[in-house]
């Protein structure tokens, strides 16, 4: 089989790595890929949001499967376009990917179908949003409606901060058109948990749980990032908690999307908060989480290709998905300065000799050397019978890898955020 993976991060590296383990995958391409992916797939110089070029390339190369990993091409309708061309692809159509590309849509869906989430209001008028804030208790959460690379969410402690967030998004257009509409919602309290699940449009099968660490510095301090590390399991998944999440959140979401004429085929990311009132949805995403999936896929015993086929063909209820009974941890090594400005082009050493699985994100090959080329540079994986073993193992790997101004958290898996 000839397979194309779309994307360029650590998520795409682990997807390529896992797909390649299936002997049916004889030719693997990645667009655009990165310095690490280049060692296991043919990288093609087309960006993930260059939809026309990706469609043209897929047609010309006659791929048997296109795996769309990031949210942007999904929101831009790449899955729709490939289907029109008769090319088999993994990832939801734009009308289902909207669960991530519009927070206003997903909040309205949850309200309509009684799926537990924070209480909220939606505004497309700045003054009305500011007036509403005056009536609300603090802290409060302000979110851009559209895609903002995980940065369009402000947790405001005071009325002043909340008003500034609304003015930044709606008045000053700090996040462009993503902030023309905002969601203002109740601030929930509790540990966070990520549940990724495969969905074939009819049923959804959750993967093992995971927990992401979003803040850039130890003790959950500093700015929000795409994620600085992750562990699995993400919480003490008692049978009661599992059943509640499935019955109150996962199944109703898949059924709601189907009822709305937006069947979801792909991976639904449930960002949850375990509040005193039970599990509630913080956010939906329309794809694997990064770095959560780097901690999850190495524990998957079933071929990812079998699951991809079951999702596309609507047979997810007929496949038995098997997992290793282990805990795992990934620690992200980032460029100093991330998530704000940072330098690129520093040589990276130690990956081949660190003795651990390393999934690369912001890397490139330059004059035969592997160099930094992005904010999140790579992540180091390990697994163990206990979470402590997995964490210690991942940090042993981190200690052996170096590049100038490398930054990483020292407490992945040891705190709740
Ligand atoms: P989101 O992009 O919606 O996932 O938000 C980013 C992060 O902001 C989440 O992972 C939470 O840590 C936090 N957050 C978002 N919404 C809420 C909320 N309603 N209450 C408390 N924290 C929230
Ligand atoms: N790690 C969070 C995300 O992928 O959205």
């Amino acid at each position: 089989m000839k397979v194309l993976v779309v994307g360029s991060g650590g998520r795409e590296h682990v997807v390529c790595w896992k797909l390649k383990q299936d002997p049916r995958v004889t030719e693997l391409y990645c667009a655009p890929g990165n310095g690490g992916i280049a060692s296991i797939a043919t990288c093609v110089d087309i960006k993930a949001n260059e939809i026309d070029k990706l469609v043209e390339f897929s047609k010309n190369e006659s791929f048997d499967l296109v795996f769309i990993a990031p949210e942007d091409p999904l929101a831009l309708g790449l899955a729709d376009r490939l289907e029109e061309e008769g090319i088999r692809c993994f990832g939801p159509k734009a009308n289902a990917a909207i669960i991530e590309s519009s927070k206003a849509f997903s909040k309205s869906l949850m309200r309509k179908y009684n799926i537990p989430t924070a209480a909220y209001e939606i505004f497309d008028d700045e003054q009305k949003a500011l007036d509403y804030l005056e009536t609300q208790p603090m802290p409060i959460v302000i979110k851009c409606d559209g895609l903002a690379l995980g940065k369009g969410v402000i947790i405001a402690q005071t009325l002043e901060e909340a008003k500034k967030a609304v003015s930044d998004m709606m008045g000053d257009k700090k996040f462009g058109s993503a902030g023309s509409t905002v969601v203002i919602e109740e601030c929930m309290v509790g540990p966070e948990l990520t549940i990724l699940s495969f969905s074939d449009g009819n049923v959804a099968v959750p993967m093992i749980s995971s927990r992401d660490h979003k803040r850039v510095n130890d003790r959950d301090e500093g700015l929000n990032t795409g994620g600085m590390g992750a562990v699995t399991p993400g919480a003490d998944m008692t049978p009661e908690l599992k059943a509640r999440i499935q019955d109150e959140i996962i199944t109703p979401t898949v059924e709601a999307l189907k009822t709305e004429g937006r069947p979801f085929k792909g991976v639904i990311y449930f960002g949850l908060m375990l509040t005193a009132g039970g599990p509630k949805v913080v956010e939906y995403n329309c794809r694997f989480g990064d770095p959560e999936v780097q901690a999850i896929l190495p524990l998957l015993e079933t071929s990812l290709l079998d699951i991809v086929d079951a999702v596309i063909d609507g047979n997810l209820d007929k496949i038995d998905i098997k997992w290793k009974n282990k805990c795992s941890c990934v620690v992200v090594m980032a460029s100093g300065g991330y998530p704000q400005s940072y330098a690129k082009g520093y040589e990276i050493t130690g990956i081949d000799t660190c003795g651990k699985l390393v999934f690369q994100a912001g890397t490139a090959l330059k004059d035969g050397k592997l160099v930094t080329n992005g904010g999140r540079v790579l992540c180091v994986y390990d697994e163990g019978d206990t979470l402590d073993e997995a964490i210690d193992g991942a940090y042993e790997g981190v200690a052996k890898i170096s590049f100038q101004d490398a930054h990483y958290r020292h407490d992945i898996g040891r705190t709740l955020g």
Side-chain angles (χ1 to χ4, degrees), residues 87-410:
I87 298 166
R88 204 168 156 81
C89 86
F90 182 85
K93 291 188 183 174
N95 73 352
I98 192 173
I99 60 166
E100 175 164 2
S101 52
S102 170
K103 289 191 193 286
F105 172 87
S106 56
K107 294 298 288 191
S108 306
L109 187 83
M110 287 185 261
R111 180 174 280 169
K112 184 168 169 191
Y113 291 90
N114 281 321
I115 298 165
T117 188
Y120 73 97
E121 292 299 332
I122 298 170
F123 296 92
D124 50 23
D125 180 280
E126 185 181 351
Q127 194 53 48
K128 286 196 177 128
L130 293 170
D131 293 345
Y132 173 75
L133 286 175
E134 301 272 0
T135 68
Q136 293 302 302
M138 297 296 133
I140 199 159
V141 182
I142 328 280
K143 299 183 176 185
C144 290
D145 173 49
L147 295 176
L149 289 172
K151 291 171 191 151
V153 174
I154 304 291
I155 299 173
Q157 300 298 330
T158 63
L159 180 61
E160 201 184 354
E161 272 175 51
K163 285 183 163 176
K164 180 170 183 315
V166 163
S167 300
D168 282 350
M169 289 177 193
M170 304 187 85
D172 299 344
K173 297 263 174 275
K174 211 170 149 186
F175 299 94
S177 60
S180 305
T181 299
V182 298
V183 175
I184 300 183
E185 66 179 33
E186 164 205 3
C187 189
M188 300 186 287
V189 184
E192 287 186 56
L193 176 68
T194 304
I195 303 286
L196 303 177
S197 65
F198 296 107
S199 166
D200 66 359
N202 291 307
V203 297
V205 179
M207 300 171 220
I208 49 178
S209 70
S210 58
R211 188 167 78 240
D212 182 18
H213 293 266
K214 289 206 167 81
R215 300 296 189 111
V216 71
N217 293 325
D218 290 358
R219 294 177 298 279
D220 294 330
E221 288 171 4
L223 296 171
N224 253 330
T225 68
M228 294 299 291
V231 291
T232 120
D236 179 14
M237 295 299 287
T238 60
E240 293 73 26
L241 180 60
K242 262 189 182 167
R244 266 192 98 167
I245 292 173
Q246 186 75 42
D247 299 345
E248 296 175 15
I249 294 173
I250 299 179
T251 302
T253 300
V254 172
E255 286 178 353
L257 286 164
K258 187 180 173 190
T259 306
E260 294 288 314
R262 301 167 182 271
F264 191 105
K265 281 171 173 262
V267 171
I268 308 186
Y269 173 123
F270 295 89
L272 305 179
M273 198 167 272
L274 304 178
T275 73
K280 293 189 180 178
V281 177
V282 177
E283 64 164 342
Y284 292 134
N285 291 324
C286 64
R287 45 155 181 95
F288 281 134
D290 183 341
E292 289 97 322
V293 74
Q294 290 94 308
I296 289 176
L297 283 188
L299 295 181
L300 177 62
E301 287 180 338
T302 309
S303 167
L304 181 57
L305 198 55
D306 286 342
I307 304 173
V308 164
D309 281 339
V311 164
I312 297 174
D313 298 332
N315 293 327
L316 202 50
D317 54 338
K318 301 200 178 63
I319 172 171
D320 184 21
I321 300 178
K322 290 208 160 59
W323 299 96
K324 281 196 216 175
N325 188 18
K326 297 261 185 196
C327 301
S328 67
C329 173
V330 283
V331 177
V332 170
M333 297 181 75
S335 298
Y338 171 77
Q340 291 175 303
S341 62
Y342 51 83
K344 294 182 188 177
Y346 296 134
E347 187 178 356
I348 306 166
T349 56
I351 292 184
D352 293 337
T353 49
C354 75
K356 308 290 174 190
L357 270 176
V358 174
F359 298 111
Q360 299 183 30
T363 66
L365 290 165
K366 203 172 161 202
D367 306 327
K369 285 184 180 161
L370 188 70
V371 297
T372 63
N373 191 41
R376 290 189 292 178
V377 174
L378 54 84
C379 68
V380 183
Y381 170 91
D382 205 6
E383 60 190 45
D385 291 328
T386 63
L387 193 51
D388 279 335
E389 261 177 58
I391 296 168
D392 290 345
Y395 277 107
E396 275 168 29
V398 167
K400 293 181 181 147
I401 296 175
S402 51
F403 54 88
Q404 193 176 319
D405 298 338
H407 169 78
Y408 58 90
R409 278 182 60 163
H410 303 80

